[in-house]
Amino acid sequence: MEYRKLGYTDIDVSVITYGSFAIGGTMWAGTEKGEARQAILASIDHGVTTLDTAPFYGLGLSEELIGDTISGMDRSRIQILTKFGMVWDGSNNGRGDFMFDIEQDGKTYPVYKFASKENVIKEAEESLQRLRTDYLDLLQLHWFDSTTPVDETMEALQRLIDQGKIRAAGVSNYDKGQMLEAQQTIRLASNQVPYSMLKRGIEAEVIPTAVENGIGIIAYSPLERGLLTGKFFNGNALKSTDHRNGYFAQFDLQRVQTFLEEIEPVAFDKGVTLSQLVLKWTTLQPGISVVLAGARNKEQAVSNARAIDIQLSTEELAYINEQLDVLV
């Protein structure tokens, strides 16, 4: 595994980081807890020391699974990244930006983006309990909340840093202007944003701004939630409650399939999978600090971790980029 400093901080993170959205089950047609725990353990066994989660993932379940799994381990060897600001429990009393309704276990929950000072502190304490730890390596605002002054949110995060409850503060899904505004109140360690072969918009402004200001970029959905593994095109059906049935509709699937067929020989020649090739490519892109890779079982976790070992020549990278130019 390779490790990098996260932004300006002294926090060493594994370049391939475990992403735990799917094991929460929410929007993913459920989860198998035993397999999820094995995936977390296998990731750690193969050098993935950094685990990214959020309260929203499974409405607390993802954090609980991580907390239970790593309980008793040397905490100093593991970096826990979590988030706040997606509220579903009604504690916001209707305040914040409404996002959507989510259904889980037969109940419907209205989800809001909400980042008031009180909510930052409340969610941080809840995450500490679910994760069974006394500090978080990184606490990130999940989504921008237009109803709360940015400085109020950032001042609450600074208070948590001063109290030793978090080592660093970050944001997620922030654009250039939002990052710069937050920087006026606190020094951001990172911005977690969507980035993949199919979504490279952050290359224009977000990445250059982050690099200039010592902000790390945590890339999420590098495999586009499984689309770039190629499995979807090989008869792997999705359950009716899986959100990817709608998510994949944003892409020209025929063109994506053609692209994967063009780069598959590169993976074949190296004895690796498409998903490993895609992950490795993502880790090599300028300005990217961390690449999140989700895994719902041990096999996927090991595969993701081993992607970092792939060696790509200048010619191979150029070929992949040429095919991408045709795709977009």
Side-chain angles (χ1 to χ4, degrees):
M1 183 53 61
E2 295 178 9
Y3 304 89
R4 296 173 183 164
K5 299 292 185 184
L6 185 61
Y8 76 90
T9 75
D10 62 354
I11 302 173
D12 290 309
V13 290
S14 52
V15 175
I16 300 292
T17 283
Y18 182 78
S20 66
F21 184 14
I23 66 168
T26 301
M27 300 172 60
W28 292 83
T31 192
E32 208 296 311
K33 296 180 182 179
E35 291 189 350
R37 292 189 182 94
Q38 290 178 9
I40 296 167
L41 290 172
S43 296
I44 295 171
D45 287 344
H46 286 79
V48 176
T49 62
T50 312
L51 312 174
D52 181 83
T53 185
F56 176 71
Y57 302 163
L59 308 189
L61 177 60
S62 175
E63 288 188 326
E64 290 172 356
L65 284 170
I66 289 175
D68 291 345
T69 303
I70 68 172
S71 177
M73 293 185 183
D74 182 353
R75 178 68 177 81
S76 66
R77 294 182 55 249
I78 299 171
Q79 302 82 51
I80 297 178
L81 322 181
T82 193
K83 309 176 188 74
F84 69 93
M86 287 184 70
V87 179
W88 72 88
D89 62 1
S91 61
N92 58 313
N93 295 315
R95 294 173 293 168
D97 292 323
F98 176 74
M99 296 185 71
F100 47 70
D101 287 322
I102 191 73
E103 292 187 10
Q104 183 155 308
D105 300 328
K107 297 181 180 180
T108 300
Y109 301 89
V111 181
Y112 289 82
K113 293 179 283 189
F114 186 53
S116 73
K117 174 183 176 180
E118 293 77 12
N119 188 63
V120 176
I121 304 302
K122 169 184 175 293
E123 288 203 57
E125 294 295 342
E126 291 172 345
S127 289
L128 288 168
Q129 291 178 20
R130 284 192 288 258
L131 289 160
R132 301 172 67 175
T133 183
D134 57 1
Y135 73 94
L136 304 168
D137 294 277
L138 179 72
L139 184 59
Q140 309 157 89
L141 172 58
H142 210 148
W143 287 91
F144 179 77
D145 166 25
S146 69
T147 71
T148 301
V150 172
D151 59 354
E152 177 182 333
T153 304
M154 299 305 147
E155 286 171 2
L157 284 168
Q158 185 61 55
R159 176 181 171 184
L160 290 169
I161 292 175
D162 295 341
Q163 293 174 340
K165 293 184 178 180
I166 67 175
R167 295 178 66 190
V171 291
S172 181
N173 300 298
Y174 259 40
D175 62 23
K176 172 185 176 179
Q178 291 164 342
M179 282 194 296
L180 292 176
E181 184 176 5
Q183 280 281 95
Q184 295 177 16
T185 305
I186 195 171
R187 192 168 187 189
L188 295 175
S190 59
N191 185 12
Q192 183 174 147
V193 282
Y195 182 71
S196 73
M197 288 176 162
L198 306 182
K199 288 184 181 177
R200 300 174 66 181
I202 63 169
E203 293 176 352
E205 292 187 342
V206 171
I207 288 180
T209 300
V211 171
E212 183 178 349
N213 288 274
I215 301 171
I217 291 292
I218 301 175
Y220 75 79
S221 294
L223 294 173
E224 285 302 348
R225 312 192 187 190
L227 184 62
L228 290 175
T229 68
K231 295 177 182 177
F232 179 75
F233 301 108
N234 294 324
N236 282 39
L238 300 173
K239 294 182 180 179
S240 61
T241 54
D242 193 316
H243 78 287
R244 291 175 293 177
N245 287 295
Y247 184 83
F248 289 167
Q250 67 185 288
F251 304 110
D252 185 330
L253 296 179
Q254 182 57 59
R255 297 188 71 181
V256 173
Q257 183 176 16
T258 299
F259 164 71
L260 293 177
E261 290 171 349
E262 291 294 332
I263 68 169
E264 191 168 25
V266 179
F268 181 81
D269 288 345
K270 293 184 173 297
V272 301
T273 65
L274 268 174
S275 61
Q276 289 176 315
L277 181 65
V278 172
L279 286 175
K280 181 62 178 186
W281 177 91
T282 311
T283 69
L284 296 174
Q285 300 314 297
I288 300 298
S289 307
V290 169
V291 176
L292 297 186
R296 304 184 76 169
N297 56 52
K298 177 180 178 180
E299 291 72 25
Q300 292 173 353
V302 173
S303 174
N304 291 342
R306 288 178 174 169
I308 201 67
D309 299 326
I310 299 171
Q311 299 297 315
L312 290 175
S313 67
T314 301
E315 293 75 19
E316 289 166 334
L317 277 170
Y319 174 77
I320 293 171
N321 290 330
E322 286 172 5
Q323 303 313 307
L324 277 174
D325 290 341
V326 173
L327 174 64
V328 298

